[in-house]
Amino acid sequence: MSTTVGFIGLGNMGGPMAINLAKAGHRVLGFDMSKAAMDALVAEGGEAVSSVTEMAAEVDVIVTMLPAGKHVREVYMGEGGILETAKAGTLLIDSSTIDVDSARVVSAAAAEKSMPMVDAPVSGGVAGAAGGTLTFMVGGEESAFEAAKPYLDIMGKTIVHAGGAGNGQAAKICNNMILGITMIGVSEAFVLAERLGLDAQKLFDISSTASGQCWALTSYCPVPGPLPASPANRDYQPGFAAGMMLKDLKLAQEAANSSGAATPLGAESAALYSMFCNSGGDAQDFSAIVKFLRGSS
Ligand code: NAD
C-alpha cells in the first residue's frame, strides 16, 4: 500500500533512507535545512517541502533522522513542530541516535497527541542506509512497532523490538558501549603483543579461537593483516568514525549517570575516545584507537 511519508533530516543516513522509501512506491515529502539534501531526494523521485508545518498535515507517517536529542526535541516539540501540526494518528518514527531521556520525553508528548511513536535508531552506517540493510532497534508500544515495521522493512534488514519507549536507544548505546570497550581491549592486546615480540597474526590466530574471541577482534581487527576487509587495511578510513563512537559512548555515560548504573569501563572508554578525537582522530575509523594507544605507550 502506498502512503504519504514525511522525512525530516536528509543527511548522510536520512537521504538514502528516504530514497529507498520513494523507490518502494511511497510518496515521500522531504524536509532538511540543506537545499542540496532536498535536491538529492527530488532527483530520486521524492518531493521537497519548505517546512515541517507544510508537510505535517499531509502525511500519514513521519520519519526523522537528525543529529542529536536537542534537534529531535525541537522538530517534534518546538513551535510549528510535528506534535503541533500533524494529524492525530500520524505514525512517528525517530531513527536518530539520541539520549534515552529525550526519546522518552518526546514519545510521551506524542502519546498525549494520540500519535503513536517509536524510537528506532540504526546500525549499519551509510552503506546500510543506501543498501536498505540497516538494523533497527525499536522502542515503543507493540501496536506502534507493528505499524512501523513495513516502513522499517524497506529501509533495513533486521528489525528488533526492544521494548517500550526509549528502549531502542537503550539497546543501541548498550551495544556500542560493549563495542567501544572491546575495541580498546583488543587494541591494547595488540600493542602489548608488539612490545613483547609476539606477531600480530599469531595473536589473532590464537585469540580468535580462544577466550579472547569477540567481534572487535574477529570481524573488525584493528591491525592490518589478519582481516583484509577491516579498515586497518585501508589506513583506517571509516567504517564507523571515532567521532560517532565518542557520541554513542557519551550518550551511554549520560544514561548511566541518570539511571545510577556503574559503568567504569564505559567512562574510561569515553575518556580515551575523547582524547583520540581531540588529537585529530575524529574522522578516522574507531579501530584507529590502536594507533593512539601505541603512541601513548
Ligand atoms: P548528517 O549530519 O549527515 O544529517 C543530519 C541532517 O539533519 C542534516 O542534513 C541537517 O541539515 C539536518 N537537520 C538538522 N537539524 C534539522 C532541522 N531542525 N530540520 C530539518 N533538518 C535538520 O548526520 P547522519 O550521519 O545522517 O546521522 C543522523 C543520525 O544517525 C545521527 O543521530 C547519527 O548519530 C545516526 N547514525 C549515523 C550513522 C552514520 O554512519 N552516519 C550510523 C548510525 C547512526
Side-chain angles (χ1 to χ4, degrees), residues 190 193 197-209 217 223 226:
F190 276 108
L198 171 61
D199 183 56
Q201 183 68 50
K202 288 280 178 220
L203 175 62
F204 179 86
D205 291 345
I206 292 162
S207 288
S208 62
T209 54
L217 176 67
V223 296

Side-chain angles (χ1 to χ4, degrees), residues 20-42:
N20 282 335
L21 289 170
K23 284 187 174 157
H26 293 295
R27 180 177 175 228
V28 179
L29 307 184
F31 176 64
D32 194 290
M33 291 183 326
S34 149
K35 185 174 177 307
M38 292 203 282
D39 289 346
L41 173 65
V42 171

Side-chain angles (χ1 to χ4, degrees), residues 8-14 31-34 65-67 71 75 96-97 122 125-126 172 244 247:
I8 303 170
L10 303 166
N12 292 322
M13 296 293 288
F31 176 64
D32 194 290
M33 291 183 326
S34 149
M65 193 54 165
L66 296 160
H71 307 94
V75 165
S96 327
T97 300
V122 302
V126 175
K172 164 107 187 168
M244 293 275 193
K247 174 188 171 182

